[in-house]
């Protein structure tokens, strides 16, 4: 517990502001044009459809940003990892701490977005009570995934690649801004490979109180990807740092 | 005397580069032990293996009776490390750097706070407790790194070039503190490029080069055995003088336009030379560890 608290740095401003801006701009703006969308056979107000997607985005952005740029700065520029592994802690402890911290940031930021969503009446009990747990869990997944890039990246500018090739496509096609059912079937299948799609689905279905079989698959996907990316990232980090 | 660090045929390679090449040494409890050697000799690499932050390639390395490969956590809890490279946290204040570090040792908050304050006092950093790291001078940073290494009240303190880049005052403060710690029974391991520092502080030392240990021993004895009592330095020696030195069997070394004569009997040798040759410049001085170092490792620059 103690480990990740130490990496506490007070800079969690933008990651929740961005989704809130989208909520206003897209939700209110587009909402007027679009009106309602069909999701899982039901007609839903666009802004209500959009809100869970933005919670998911805030989860993804927070953890991914923290465990790429944030971790890289601590590792490479501030040599914090070197300082810590001279104490009884090991590199596994350090990476675990970073990932827990990334997930904690996802939790904090998504709670802020969630609070706005609740106030705006866009999510309902009791499903929304589970959302913070899902936020933390999927936060762990995005943090571990980010840590893999941090372990292999040659310099800080190279983070452009995972952001452009992974985060931006997920942002747009992860079931966030439109129902995936409008995509051709190959598009839907591809979207289901993306971690954000499952995050969005889980959170959306929870905020609508409609758990579907696909959500269990989503949960399994999240658990599995988290475990795999966690071990891969620890392994790669050891390779990078232990010489 | 009990050995607190034992290395046998210790070896470390980075791909094809041999950084530490089958070295043996023992560090005894309560002594100050030095690692000297030119850049790239393998000092830091050896230190990092002792600190359990760099895996041993081959050989045996024991710290406080425990193997570095098997018990890194236990060993790291009992040693204090001040690395060559500054890795203080720039986002935290001086005091917070110490208390945060203490958390990694699972130290109760109150104890950490008390110790941190005590150590800031000890290292003359009390007034700087609330200052951020980027606002410290180089000497203050080095002192803080040593203070940080002392947070867990280590039995062995490992200092990798603690005084590099510091002014004479700051160096003397650090020397005083090292002596004070030694008198409290802390074993100190130190690397340095300052020969006077090693001569002043170390009970025993090794001189390394290209991963190997060239000599080991008490600095006074090494000077005595390898160089002698004193050195006579003569500028622009004539061919005749060099021949004379050879015939008399005097240990000497020619470096550019100077010749250095190493001898136990500086006065007599100097008098003889002065009466037989016309010398434009000569100087006599006590032999130092620097003479030993240069004689053993040569005068060429390392790449
Ligand atoms: N992480 C590393 N990867 C590859 N080679 C390394 C690494 N660390 C050290 N070396 C090499 O090992 C050799 C010994 O380096 P080391 O840092 O131990 O020297 P040193 O005696 O501490 O030198 P200095 O006085 O300059 O600090 C050098 O040739 C160095 O280039
Ligand atoms: Mg070094």
């Amino acid at each position: 517990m103690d480990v990740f608290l130490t990496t506490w740095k007070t800079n969690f401003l933008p990651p929740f502001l961005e989704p809130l801006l989208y909520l206003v701009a897209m939700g209110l703006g587009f909402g007027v044009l679009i009106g309602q969308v069909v999701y899982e056979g039901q007609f839903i107000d666009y802004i209500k459809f959009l809100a869970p997607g933005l919670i998911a985005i805030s989860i993804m952005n927070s953890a991914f940003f923290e465990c790429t740029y944030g971790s890289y700065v601590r590792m490479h520029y501030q040599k914090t990892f070197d300082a810590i592994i001279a104490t009884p802690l090991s590199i596994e402890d350090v990476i675990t701490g970073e990932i827990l911290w990334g997930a904690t940031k996802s939790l904090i930021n998504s709670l802020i977005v969630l609070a706005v969503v609740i106030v705006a009446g866009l999510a309902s009990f009791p499903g929304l009570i589970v959302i913070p747990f899902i936020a933390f869990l999927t936060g762990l997944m995005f943090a571990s995934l980010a840590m893999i890039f941090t372990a292999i990246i040659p310099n800080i500018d190279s983070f452009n690649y995972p952001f452009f090739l992974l985060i931006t496509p997920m942002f747009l096609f992860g079931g966030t801004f439109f129902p995936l059912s409008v995509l051709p079937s190959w598009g839907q299948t591809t979207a289901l490979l993306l971690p954000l799609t499952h995050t969005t689905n889980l959170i959306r279905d929870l905020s609508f109180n409609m758990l579907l079989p696909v959500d269990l698959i989503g949960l399994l996907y999240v658990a599995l990807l988290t475990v795999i990316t966690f071990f891969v990232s620890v392994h790669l980090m050891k390779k990078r740092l232990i010489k | 005397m009990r050995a607190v660090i034992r290395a046998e045929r210790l070896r470390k390679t980075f791909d094809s580069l041999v950084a530490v090449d089958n070295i043996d040494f023992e560090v005894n409890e309560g002594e100050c032990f030095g690692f000297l050697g030119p850049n790239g000799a393998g000092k830091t690499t050896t230190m990092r293996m002792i600190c359990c932050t760099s895996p041993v390639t081959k050989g045996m390395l024991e710290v406080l009776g425990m193997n570095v490969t098997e018990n890194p956590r236990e060993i790291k809890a009992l040693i204090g490390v001040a690395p060559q490279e500054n890795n203080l946290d720039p986002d935290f204040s001086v005091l917070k750097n110490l208390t945060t570090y203490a958390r990694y040792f699972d130290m109760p908050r109150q104890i950490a706070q008390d110790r941190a304050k005590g150590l800031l006092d000890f290292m003359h950093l009390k007034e700087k407790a609330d200052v951020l790291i980027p606002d410290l001078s180089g000497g203050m940073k080095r002192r803080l790194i040593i203070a940080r290494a002392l947070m867990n009240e280590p039995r062995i303190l490992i200092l990798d070039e603690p005084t590099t880049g510091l002014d004479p005052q700051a160096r003397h403060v650090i020397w005083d503190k090292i002596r004070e710690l030694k008198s409290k029974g802390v074993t100190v391991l130190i690397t340095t490029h300052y020969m006077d520092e090693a001569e002043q502080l170390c009970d025993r030392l090794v001189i390394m080069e290209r991963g190997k240990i060239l000599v080991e021993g008490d600095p006074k004895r090494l000077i005595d055995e390898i160089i002698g009592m004193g050195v006579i330095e003569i500028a622009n020696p004539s061919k005749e003088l060099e021949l004379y030195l050879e015939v008399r069997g005097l240990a000497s070394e020619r470096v550019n336009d100077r010749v250095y004569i190493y001898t136990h009997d500086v006065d007599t040798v100097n008098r003889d030379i002065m009466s037989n040759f016309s010398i434009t410049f000569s100087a006599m001085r006590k032999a130092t560890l620097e003479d030993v170092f240069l004689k053993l490792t040569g005068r060429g620059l390392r790449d």
Side-chain angles (χ1 to χ4, degrees):
Chain A
M1 273 310 271
D2 224 27
V3 189
F4 79 92
L5 282 176
T6 57
T7 40
W8 184 286
K9 306 274 161 75
T10 44
N11 56 351
F12 54 94
L13 206 61
F16 67 82
L17 275 182
E18 197 192 348
L20 291 182
L21 283 177
Y22 275 101
L23 188 65
V24 175
M26 310 280 292
L28 297 180
F30 272 128
V32 174
L33 297 178
I34 297 168
Q36 292 193 318
V37 290
V38 180
Y39 178 68
E40 298 296 338
Q42 296 185 20
F43 283 95
I44 290 173
D45 284 343
Y46 182 68
I47 190 165
K48 207 170 172 189
F49 171 85
L50 178 67
L54 294 172
I55 296 174
I57 285 171
S58 76
I59 295 170
M60 172 176 80
N61 283 352
S62 309
F64 207 83
F65 200 82
E66 187 56 36
C67 288
T68 49
Y69 287 105
S71 295
Y72 192 83
V73 165
R74 285 189 287 277
M75 171 181 81
H76 184 76
Y77 294 102
Q78 305 185 345
K79 308 279 175 207
T80 310
F81 296 7
D82 292 340
I84 301 179
I85 58 172
T87 72
L89 299 181
S90 64
I91 196 73
E92 286 91 335
D93 299 330
V94 177
I95 303 309
T96 310
E98 289 286 317
I99 288 171
L100 284 172
W101 172 231
T104 306
K105 282 204 128 173
S106 290
L107 178 65
I108 295 170
N109 287 317
S110 63
L111 279 179
I112 296 169
V113 181
L114 179 64
V116 175
V117 168
I118 292 172
V119 168
L122 301 175
S124 51
F125 284 102
L128 64 83
I129 294 170
V130 189
I131 290 178
F133 295 97
I134 298 297
F136 190 74
L137 188 68
T138 51
L140 288 176
M141 169 178 70
F142 287 114
S144 306
L145 187 64
M147 202 50 89
I148 291 179
F149 292 102
T150 304
I152 56 175
I153 228 96
N155 59 58
I156 199 161
D157 295 328
S158 312
F159 280 133
N160 287 335
Y161 293 104
F163 272 93
F164 185 71
L165 297 175
L166 199 63
I167 298 301
T168 306
M170 282 204 276
F171 176 80
L172 295 171
F173 301 104
T176 41
F177 293 102
F178 53 85
L180 290 175
S181 52
V182 305
L183 291 177
S185 73
W186 64 266
Q188 292 186 29
T189 318
T190 313
L192 279 176
L193 294 175
L194 302 173
L196 185 65
T197 308
H198 296 280
T199 310
T200 314
N201 284 347
L202 282 167
I203 290 177
R204 183 168 291 134
D205 295 347
L206 281 169
S207 37
F208 298 165
N209 286 312
M210 48 187 243
L211 269 182
L212 305 164
V214 68
D215 293 327
L216 283 180
I217 297 172
L219 214 52
L220 201 70
Y221 173 101
V222 171
L224 211 65
L225 190 66
T226 305
V227 172
I228 293 170
T229 48
F230 175 77
F231 283 106
V232 170
S233 71
V234 168
H235 173 78
L236 291 173
M237 270 297 181
K238 271 171 128 171
K239 231 171 100 176
R240 176 169 193 141
L241 294 173
I242 304 292
K243 282 189 175 144
Chain B
M1 276 244 215
R2 223 161 60 87
V4 285
I5 303 176
R6 292 200 309 128
E8 272 171 30
R9 306 200 66 69
L10 181 62
R11 187 177 165 84
K12 175 81 191 186
T13 55
F14 295 105
D15 298 321
S16 63
L17 184 130
V18 184
V20 173
D21 194 0
N22 289 322
I23 62 171
D24 299 80
F25 62 86
E26 280 193 5
V27 179
N28 295 321
E29 179 140 46
E31 74 178 341
C32 179
F33 191 91
F35 280 88
L36 310 188
N39 291 140
K43 305 179 296 294
T44 298
T45 307
T46 307
M47 296 288 199
R48 291 186 53 229
M49 286 192 282
I50 296 170
C51 301
C52 312
T53 48
S54 179
V56 169
T57 308
K58 231 174 147 188
M60 195 277 304
L61 180 58
E62 252 180 34
V63 179
L64 296 164
M66 294 175 279
N67 190 295
V68 289
T69 316
E70 286 152 25
N71 304 87
R73 255 177 225 268
E74 291 80 357
I75 293 173
K76 288 194 284 182
L78 297 171
I79 64 176
V81 187
Q84 182 170 358
E85 226 177 311
N86 165 20
N87 57 18
L88 295 162
D89 195 318
D91 299 341
F92 290 153
S93 72
V94 165
L95 185 70
K96 191 89 198 296
N97 256 278
L98 297 185
T99 49
T100 307
Y101 199 69
R103 293 242 280 274
Y104 306 138
F105 289 89
D106 246 342
M107 207 179 292
R109 195 173 292 260
Q110 193 54 48
I111 294 180
Q113 195 76 15
D114 293 346
R115 266 191 209 170
K117 289 203 170 125
L119 283 168
L120 288 184
D121 212 14
F122 181 69
M123 282 293 171
H124 306 294
L125 286 167
K126 209 166 154 190
E127 292 75 38
K128 300 285 173 187
D130 300 318
V131 171
L132 289 178
I133 302 305
D135 299 334
L136 294 180
S137 75
M140 292 171 190
K141 281 185 201 151
R142 285 319 284 174
R143 276 183 277 153
L144 182 58
I145 289 217
I146 298 175
R148 193 182 65 178
L150 291 168
M151 277 301 284
N152 59 328
E153 302 195 323
R155 287 181 56 195
I156 305 177
L157 178 63
I158 297 175
L159 306 170
D160 199 348
E161 300 194 19
T163 63
T164 296
L166 302 192
D167 67 21
Q169 284 83 357
R171 288 177 65 200
H172 279 275
V173 169
I174 290 183
W175 291 358
D176 286 343
K177 296 303 160 190
I178 292 175
R179 290 200 195 93
E180 208 173 321
L181 288 166
K182 229 187 77 177
S183 72
K184 290 180 189 158
V186 179
T187 308
V188 181
L189 229 65
I190 183 170
T191 77
T192 178
H193 288 298
Y194 300 113
M195 298 301 133
D196 56 331
E197 180 164 295
E199 214 174 316
Q200 289 257 352
L201 293 176
C202 297
D203 301 302
R204 288 193 310 133
L205 54 85
V206 293
I207 297 181
M208 290 183 77
E209 191 185 22
R210 291 176 212 282
K212 288 198 159 64
I213 291 179
L214 300 178
V215 281
E216 187 221 285
D218 155 5
K220 305 254 171 341
R221 235 196 50 229
L222 287 176
I223 297 168
D224 203 52
E225 281 171 9
I226 296 169
I227 301 290
M229 288 286 288
V231 181
I232 306 167
E233 182 181 342
I234 293 170
N236 305 311
S238 58
K239 275 270 160 307
E240 292 75 33
L241 175 59
E242 287 193 80
L243 197 66
Y244 169 82
L245 294 174
E246 215 179 302
V247 173
R248 284 274 313 259
L250 286 162
S252 67
E253 189 183 358
R254 177 75 192 253
V255 182
N256 300 327
D257 64 337
R258 315 244 136 172
V259 67
Y260 296 91
I261 304 162
Y262 306 124
T263 170
H264 280 282
D265 194 359
V266 182
D267 290 328
T268 320
V269 173
N270 192 51
R271 209 175 315 118
D272 286 353
I273 292 174
M274 288 303 160
S275 57
N276 289 315
F277 300 90
S278 73
I279 305 288
T280 51
F281 169 85
S282 90
M284 287 184 290
R285 56 178 172 79
K286 267 188 76 187
T288 64
L289 197 56
E290 189 141 337
D291 297 311
V292 175
F293 187 87
L294 289 173
K295 184 164 181 191
L296 291 176
T297 60
R299 287 168 189 270
L301 261 184
R302 307 302 133 137
D303 34 40

